[in-house]
Amino acid sequence: QVQLVESGGGSVQAGGSLSLSCVASGSIVIVYDMAWYRQAPGKQRELVADISKDGTTNYADFVKGRFTVSRDNAKNTVYLQMNSLKPEDTAVYYCNAEILDSDYTLATYWGQGTQVTVPS
């Protein structure tokens, strides 16, 4: 079985920083693309940033220049460094990963989510 576990959410004042991390564990052969999504109340889940196995990154326009995604392949971990946070960044942040498991099944997995709150 494979699972993703996020950590690092919380509440921070506007302009502050938070760092999220997400560890993939279980019967993993390869972790391919990893990503962060977020979902604010009453809104659809949206992509924040993703990173390929070789480190190629992609960011949503609303976080460019403020957020940085990175990964440690040896630890099957993806990170999201969030700087200059704004109230509109308030959401539940979800980790997402495409993983080949020990049965050689390729599937997409989601973490349970971690709350990020930036009071206005």
Side-chain angles (χ1 to χ4, degrees), residues 35-57:
W36 289 97
Y37 286 74
R38 71 184 188 187
Q39 187 167 19
K43 295 188 177 181
Q44 290 188 333
R45 192 171 298 190
E46 58 186 358
L47 176 69
V48 175
D50 60 44
I51 182 167
S52 66
K53 190 173 184 297
D54 67 2
T56 301
T57 58

Side-chain angles (χ1 to χ4, degrees), residues 11-51:
S11 181
V12 65
Q13 294 298 312
S17 299
L18 279 176
S19 182
L20 307 181
S21 50
C22 170
V23 180
S25 63
S27 303
I28 296 170
V29 174
I30 301 173
V31 181
Y32 292 104
D33 288 358
M34 304 186 83
W36 289 97
Y37 286 74
R38 71 184 188 187
Q39 187 167 19
K43 295 188 177 181
Q44 290 188 333
R45 192 171 298 190
E46 58 186 358
L47 176 69
V48 175
D50 60 44
I51 182 167

